[in-house]
Amino acid sequence: MTEARVHAARRELRLACRVEFSGSSAISGTTRDLSPVDVSLQSAALLTPVPRRPKPGDRGVLTLTVRGPGLTNALLKIPCRVAFINGNILNVQIMTAGLDTHQQETFDLLFKH
């Protein structure tokens, strides 16, 4: 997907989410915006001291709670990698290649509403 198409597909969308990394505490928060290739989320947990904070390059699983008119209630679990952390903002690159057909269709619906 070209950079222009990704930017055009970026949506400000508030979804409950959780990111889990091996060796780090799970981070619960709310998405700020998402595109077909990355998700930016906000979490107060990023401001509290924990034994090990995630760092750029760490791999994990992002769980999005999808609800709303025209959307099926679903938990989408998407493999991800930390792109950057800035204060209480975490940006992760997502890898939707591992989603099954139903999960991919649900993810695609997020950009049509």
Side-chain angles (χ1 to χ4, degrees):
M1 186 174 275
T2 68
E3 187 174 330
R5 287 183 62 203
V6 168
H7 183 71
R10 181 166 299 283
R11 290 203 51 205
E12 287 186 21
L13 192 60
R14 304 294 185 255
L15 299 172
C17 62
R18 180 177 173 93
V19 187
E20 298 172 82
F21 303 99
S22 61
S24 296
S25 300
I27 297 168
S28 295
T30 306
T31 61
R32 294 168 39 96
D33 60 57
L34 63 148
S35 80
V37 297
D38 71 336
V39 174
S40 178
L41 63 99
Q42 185 172 340
S43 175
L46 292 167
L47 300 176
T48 59
V50 293
R52 185 184 178 284
R53 288 174 49 100
K55 60 185 184 303
D58 283 355
R59 293 179 180 268
V61 176
L62 170 68
T63 302
L64 297 175
T65 304
V66 180
R67 294 187 180 107
L71 297 172
T72 57
N73 289 341
L75 291 178
L76 289 178
K77 293 187 177 282
I78 306 170
C80 67
R81 180 177 43 238
V82 175
F84 66 85
I85 299 174
N86 185 5
N88 68 337
I89 306 297
L90 173 67
N91 184 274
V92 294
Q93 297 169 326
I94 56 175
M95 294 158 258
T96 57
L99 298 180
D100 66 29
T101 303
H102 177 70
Q103 292 170 322
Q104 186 65 55
E105 288 170 355
T106 301
F107 184 75
D108 291 345
L109 283 174
L110 295 174
F111 300 97
K112 294 179 180 170
H113 289 87

